[in-house]
Amino acid sequence: MSWWETVRSGLGAIRAHRLRSALTVLGIVIGISSVILTVGLGQGAQHEVEDQIDALGSNLLIVSPGSTTDSSTGRRGGFGSASTLTGADATALADPDAVPDAAAVAPATTGSVALVNGDTNWTTSLVGTTPAWLRVRSRELAAGRFFTADETARAADVVVIGSDTASELFGPRSPVGQQVTVDGTRLTVVGVLSASGSSATGTSEDDQAVVPLGTASRLTGSTSDAVSTIYVEASGEGTLAAAYQEVQALLATRHGVTTADADFSIATQESLVETANQTNRTFTVLLGGVAGISLLVGGIGVMNIMLVSVTERVREIGLRKALGATPRAIRRQFLVEASLLGLTGGLVGVLIGVVGAQVLPHFIDQAVAVSLLATVAALATALALGVGFGVYPATRAARLTPIDALRSE
Amino acid sequence: MSALIELSGVRKTYRSGTVEFEALRGVDTVIAEGEYAAVIGPSGSGKSTLMNILGCLDVPTEGRYVLAGEDTSSLDEAALAAIRNRRIGFVFQQFHLLASMPAWRNVELPLVYAGVSRAERRERAVEALTRVGLADRVDNRPGQLSGGQQQRVAVARALVTEPDLLLADEPTGNLDSGSTRDVLALFDELHDAGRTIVLITHEPDVAARAGRNLVIDDGLITTDRVRAGAR
């Protein structure tokens, strides 16, 4: 009996028991589609985080207050630690003699502020920084200009706003040259940032107000020189490690601490990606494991059905044997049936997974990346499940002696 | 005429646990090509065991069974399957048709295992169905046919490979008297056409149609009677 004949008769047997076959296939379908979706969700989240971190700019060192326990896995913060990093630190880091491998240094404070333009009131995040911010954050201007070093030194009443902020406050009109009011202080809008599209940790990069460091302190009523972050851009990819060392040594000296019990931490883009990926990997493995188990359950379902099928069709097996079917032909028949069930389930599962990956982002605001590898692996698994769980029933069928099989009622 | 079946010293012992049961205790017989023989005996006499051995569904524990010059005693399962496929056509008491397939698909089944091409299978199946008088029932499923018609489909299936031996196990056991007459008449026709038939039965009237009666009792052939005028 040729393979093609076997496949044909297998399809016939599956069609003859439509409901039962459909229920069997359902187990595989659920397993495969959930594997594809969970792996896709994990990878989608990973890509998103990588994009966000890429958007930070390359060759970037991010210095934060608070000590680190491990440079890549976490940092210890707490009350008081916020004040350990100051604008003076940033100024010292910008000295090319002290940190020769730094190309740009920008301190940043963060806060929240309500901007008013006429009747429009818009609350957004406030960033206080220096002109180097534009470079270290890899941002560009859509209109106007960024504030100057001179304006920074004077703590001038100027502001650069994000593209979303601009449209919220000014609608379609150009905001450049217009004024916004913050608690009675009038700020002149000198520039608008180009849309970056990314939204790190939920707050949009396109909805913010960037002002000189001193202006920010004034607006938030802060009297200290503390900053929340100092961005240091290394002069090149090769000098990143050197810049890291220089920054670490300088800050340790300035703060009178050793590098082992530092009251600040330095993150590189790489270490951020690493941390984010580790979290994502854990979730992907966890979800993938659950999906894998459902796949296994689906496979056992196939075996169950095939065993029932063997029992129910004992007489048919006996007859086929009497008519000249070899044990091999019988085994092949049941294996092919099980494989067809597995493959059908796999294909439908892949279809649902891929369609789900397109539809899901509309509901959960989370990208789903369908990985070709995961899809192919899922299909192969479905087929392997069919074959694997079909072997035992098939062997049982092949072993039946024709007389006993024919006699059974 | 040359011998189709040669049984010499055939014994069959069944073992369940420590209990042994000897179903055949040394059967010797020769059936020639073209013969129409009936094996008669009460239940438990060993006639089913004999039928299984003649049909290569089982092998003797001891002794030799030569079918068409081929000693089957030492063959493995796959080789026995090939012999069943090529040399033997079975007709069973319960018909054993596959309910999900139309008549012609049931009839072509042995040809599938013989590796015959699809187009030829259909042609030969229809031809066999025509020979048993069911040319107009080719596409009917077994459930749409009467018992007698179903058994005729089974006969067509047994004939489709042109086997050396037609082996029928109580072929009329599940049929009413009208259908019984039909099927037996068909056997007569096939016999007249030169086909070798071995029929297992416990009904004397059915056995009476055969040219030769082998009476089996307690695992031995006790009587071997050839009807006057039979070929």
Side-chain angles (χ1 to χ4, degrees):
Chain A
M1 196 172 183
S2 72
W3 279 104
W4 175 231
E5 288 296 344
T6 315
V7 170
R8 192 191 275 279
S9 92
L11 284 172
I14 288 170
R15 262 202 304 270
H17 306 102
R18 272 191 204 87
L19 179 66
R20 193 208 291 159
S21 305
L23 287 174
T24 314
V25 163
L26 192 64
I28 303 262
V29 166
I30 291 172
I32 295 287
S33 49
S34 52
V35 163
I36 289 180
L37 282 179
T38 46
V39 171
L41 273 172
Q43 292 200 334
Q46 199 158 319
H47 288 158
E48 236 170 54
V49 169
E50 276 168 17
D51 286 349
Q52 282 165 11
I53 293 168
D54 273 346
L56 288 176
S58 54
N59 305 331
L60 196 61
L61 296 173
I62 300 151
V63 188
S64 317
S67 66
T68 50
T69 45
D70 178 333
S71 68
S72 69
T73 57
R75 62 180 69 99
R76 189 165 57 233
F79 283 136
S81 64
S83 62
T84 59
L85 220 51
T86 62
D89 286 333
T91 314
L93 287 171
D95 180 356
D97 294 330
V99 188
D101 290 310
V105 176
T109 59
T110 51
S112 180
V113 77
L115 303 177
V116 182
N117 170 39
D119 295 337
T120 317
N121 186 321
W122 185 251
T123 302
T124 185
S125 57
L126 179 75
V127 178
T129 187
T130 62
W133 184 87
L134 200 61
R135 172 170 177 185
V136 296
R137 297 302 308 270
S138 309
R139 297 300 296 266
E140 272 162 21
L141 288 163
R145 59 175 180 85
F146 205 71
F147 52 79
T148 62
D150 179 49
E151 284 165 335
T152 311
R154 287 192 285 113
D157 293 334
V158 289
V159 64
V160 175
I161 55 178
S163 54
D164 288 350
T165 322
S167 56
E168 290 294 344
L169 283 169
F170 298 98
R173 288 180 297 132
S174 167
V176 178
Q178 305 284 326
Q179 297 210 317
V180 289
T181 315
V182 178
D183 277 342
T185 310
R186 289 172 165 277
L187 299 176
T188 307
V189 179
V190 294
V192 179
L193 294 166
S194 305
S196 78
S198 86
S199 59
T201 64
T203 61
S204 170
E205 294 284 301
D206 292 330
D207 180 16
Q208 56 187 0
V210 186
V211 297
L213 201 54
T215 316
S217 306
R218 205 145 39 73
L219 291 175
T220 54
S222 160
T223 51
S224 80
D225 189 25
V227 297
S228 54
T229 314
I230 300 175
Y231 297 102
V232 180
E233 190 183 311
S235 53
E237 212 173 307
T239 58
L240 189 67
Y244 186 101
Q245 301 287 337
E246 289 157 13
V247 169
Q248 193 178 36
L250 180 70
L251 286 177
T253 312
R254 280 179 58 85
H255 294 190
V257 295
T258 65
T259 53
D261 61 344
D263 56 357
F264 58 89
S265 60
I266 309 171
T268 60
Q269 215 178 338
E270 206 182 334
S271 72
L272 287 177
V273 172
E274 180 89 355
T275 309
N277 280 354
Q278 247 164 10
T279 319
N280 276 328
R281 244 194 314 271
T282 311
F283 275 108
T284 308
V285 166
L286 190 76
L287 291 172
V290 172
I293 288 170
S294 71
L295 199 55
L296 190 72
V297 172
I300 293 171
V302 171
M303 174 150 89
N304 200 357
I305 292 301
M306 292 318 291
L307 275 175
V308 170
S309 191
V310 168
T311 315
E312 207 185 73
R313 288 156 68 191
V314 163
R315 280 172 65 181
E316 177 189 333
I317 296 165
L319 173 76
R320 286 178 182 271
K321 282 192 147 186
L323 297 184
T326 56
R328 217 174 97 178
I330 297 290
R331 201 178 319 129
R332 201 151 74 173
Q333 182 188 342
F334 279 85
L335 267 182
V336 164
E337 270 186 53
S339 312
L340 283 172
L341 285 176
L343 195 63
T344 310
L347 284 173
V348 176
V350 164
L351 192 74
I352 291 180
V354 169
V355 169
Q358 304 302 314
V359 173
L360 212 55
H362 297 293
F363 295 103
I364 59 166
D365 190 29
Q366 163 76 65
V368 183
V370 175
S371 113
L372 185 68
L373 183 72
T375 309
V376 171
L379 259 184
T381 310
L383 190 60
L385 279 174
V387 174
F389 285 103
V391 163
Y392 175 61
T395 311
R396 251 183 63 158
R399 254 197 230 126
L400 287 168
T401 65
I403 327 155
D404 294 340
L406 281 170
R407 287 278 152 75
S408 92
E409 281 309 322
Chain B
M1 240 176 273
S2 61
L4 178 67
I5 292 170
E6 290 176 72
L7 294 171
S8 44
V10 168
R11 288 171 181 276
K12 182 70 193 180
T13 311
Y14 291 111
R15 207 173 265 112
S16 75
T18 53
V19 185
E20 283 193 1
F21 170 69
E22 215 171 21
L24 293 179
R25 300 187 297 142
V27 172
D28 302 278
T29 194
V30 176
I31 295 172
E33 266 176 41
E35 252 190 296
Y36 184 2
V39 177
I40 323 159
S43 57
S45 60
K47 67 180 191 302
S48 291
T49 309
L50 184 61
M51 140 98 186
N52 289 336
I53 287 174
L54 287 176
C56 290
L57 294 168
D58 208 350
V59 287
T61 317
E62 231 177 88
R64 264 158 50 94
Y65 169 29
V66 179
L67 175 65
E70 202 167 354
D71 188 351
T72 63
S73 320
S74 57
L75 297 178
D76 67 3
E77 242 196 289
L80 286 174
I83 286 190
R84 289 196 293 269
N85 184 251
R86 220 171 50 240
R87 298 204 179 280
I88 305 166
F90 290 92
V91 178
F92 302 98
Q93 181 175 2
Q94 301 91 346
F95 321 145
H96 284 311
L97 300 175
L98 299 182
S100 61
M101 296 180 177
W104 77 270
R105 292 288 304 274
N106 269 288
V107 173
E108 68 151 14
L109 215 48
L111 297 177
V112 171
Y113 292 108
V116 175
S117 79
R118 224 178 134 65
E120 190 187 338
R121 287 205 308 260
R122 158 98 196 180
E123 194 182 309
R124 282 171 68 174
V126 171
E127 198 183 306
L129 281 165
T130 309
R131 210 179 331 162
V132 298
L134 290 175
D136 53 342
R137 293 281 188 275
V138 166
D139 293 313
N140 287 62
R141 284 171 200 272
Q144 301 163 316
L145 300 173
S146 72
Q149 286 171 328
Q150 288 188 48
Q151 194 59 301
R152 280 193 277 162
V153 173
V155 172
R157 180 180 62 195
L159 293 174
V160 77
T161 53
E162 300 294 339
D164 300 309
L165 171 65
L166 187 66
L167 194 56
D169 184 12
E170 304 274 7
T172 59
N174 278 5
L175 298 179
D176 58 33
S177 55
S179 300
T180 298
R181 264 197 309 278
D182 278 4
V183 169
L184 290 179
L186 182 58
F187 280 16
D188 286 346
E189 261 172 55
L190 293 169
H191 172 55
D192 289 342
R195 186 83 49 194
T196 313
I197 302 172
V198 174
L199 187 140
I200 317 279
T201 187
H202 67 272
E203 290 168 77
D205 339 351
V206 175
R209 304 288 285 257
R212 180 177 171 194
N213 283 2
L214 295 162
V215 181
I216 189 164
D217 196 14
D218 201 14
L220 287 171
I221 291 175
T222 52
T223 313
D224 185 348
R225 198 170 48 225
V226 179
R227 183 156 53 93
R231 279 163 295 156

